[in-house]
Amino acid sequence: QSVLTQPPSVSGAPGQRVTISCTGSSSNIGAGHDVHWYRQLPGTAPKLLIYRNTNRPSGVPDRFSGSKSGTSASLAITGLQAEDEADYYCQSYDSSLWVFGGGTKLTVL
Amino acid sequence: EVQLVESGGGLVQPGGSLRLSCAASGFIFSSYWMTWVRQAPGKGLEWVANINQDKSQIYYVDSVKGRFTISRDNAKNSLYLQMNSLRAEDTAVYYCARFGKNNWEIDYWGQGTLVSVSS
């Protein structure tokens, strides 16, 4: 049972928009701690996608965006592409623990 | 170019020990918090341990406290994870990773090393 809750799976057709939620509590996201997002392609290490809730590292397309409100955060992907099919994880901080969501598998139909 | 290269993984019996190493290059290693994150087969990511730049702050997930020890050698640009009393549930790919300068984001990851605990 992860401290941060993500839907196990989401799907969308090429070109569509999908969102992935990350629900926490008053001790992590709700306490004001930042949320970061990672993408993990099959058989590879995770890669930073969004940091500090809304910021994209250099090289990450603006199709990816993040938001945060209250005890939750979301990752949005627009203009869905086949190569976006991967696992996505949110991460935050909670009382001297660094916590990840359980991960969401994105399937591009 | 930032590189993190793990080594030391392998097959070990329950109760055994293993020491993972991570060779860092392409950045000033002594300026960054470092971390180990693991991923059991087919499962999600789990934070394991952190260490700050001068080794004065160290944190562990509860499930490894008393069994694992994170350390670093800034002169050798290396991060370590000593794992004792290994259990089947410690079986995972272990990633060495670097915390960025913003707010606990992990901006670089190694390729991972597989630790299998089985008799």
Side-chain angles (χ1 to χ4, degrees):
Chain A
Q1 194 81 0
S2 301
V3 172
L4 305 178
T5 301
Q6 298 180 233
S9 64
V10 298
S11 62
Q16 285 189 332
R17 178 182 187 270
V18 297
T19 61
I20 298 172
S21 61
C22 174
T23 302
S25 67
S26 58
S27 63
N28 42 67
I29 299 175
H33 297 300
D34 288 330
V35 177
H36 316 294
W37 291 90
Y38 304 89
R39 177 167 76 170
Q40 186 177 33
L41 298 171
T44 69
K47 176 186 172 184
L48 181 64
L49 202 58
I50 297 287
Y51 66 94
R52 294 196 70 185
N53 311 311
T54 61
N55 298 278
R56 287 186 307 277
S58 173
V60 173
D62 59 7
R63 300 189 297 109
F64 296 89
S65 63
S67 63
K68 176 189 164 188
S69 178
T71 58
S72 294
S74 288
L75 173 71
I77 308 172
T78 58
L80 209 55
Q81 299 178 3
E83 54 263 37
D84 295 330
E85 191 159 288
D87 293 325
Y88 293 81
Y89 295 90
C90 60
Q91 177 232 325
S92 189
Y93 174 84
D94 187 332
S95 309
S96 296
L97 298 174
W98 285 258
V99 292
F100 288 94
T104 298
K105 181 174 182 58
L106 169 61
T107 300
V108 180
L109 301 171
Chain B
E1 178 193 6
V2 172
Q3 284 198 315
L4 299 167
V5 180
E6 302 95 335
S7 60
L11 176 63
V12 60
Q13 292 187 337
S17 298
L18 216 53
R19 189 194 195 208
L20 304 184
S21 298
C22 172
S25 61
F27 66 103
I28 303 173
F29 180 72
S30 59
S31 296
Y32 289 84
W33 279 77
M34 297 296 294
T35 184
W36 289 97
V37 175
R38 66 184 179 184
Q39 186 171 33
K43 302 296 184 182
L45 302 172
E46 180 185 35
W47 166 72
V48 175
N50 288 352
I51 186 169
N52 75 333
Q53 293 90 332
D54 65 3
K55 300 176 278 190
S56 62
Q57 296 183 63
I58 290 176
Y59 300 90
Y60 298 98
V61 67
D62 284 349
S63 59
V64 308
K65 280 181 184 175
R67 300 188 300 123
F68 289 13
T69 302
I70 187 172
S71 63
R72 65 190 296 163
D73 185 335
N74 288 338
K76 295 183 178 180
N77 292 335
S78 293
L79 178 72
Y80 306 100
L81 187 67
Q82 177 67 43
M83 304 185 293
N84 299 331
S85 303
L86 281 162
R87 307 166 180 166
E89 54 265 35
D90 296 318
T91 294
V93 173
Y94 284 73
Y95 294 102
C96 163
R98 186 185 89 168
F99 278 113
K101 292 292 191 180
N102 289 291
N103 197 14
W104 298 123
E105 81 283 7
I106 297 174
D107 61 355
Y108 286 96
W109 300 69
Q111 84 287 351
T113 187
L114 177 61
V115 172
S116 296
V117 184
S118 174
S119 54

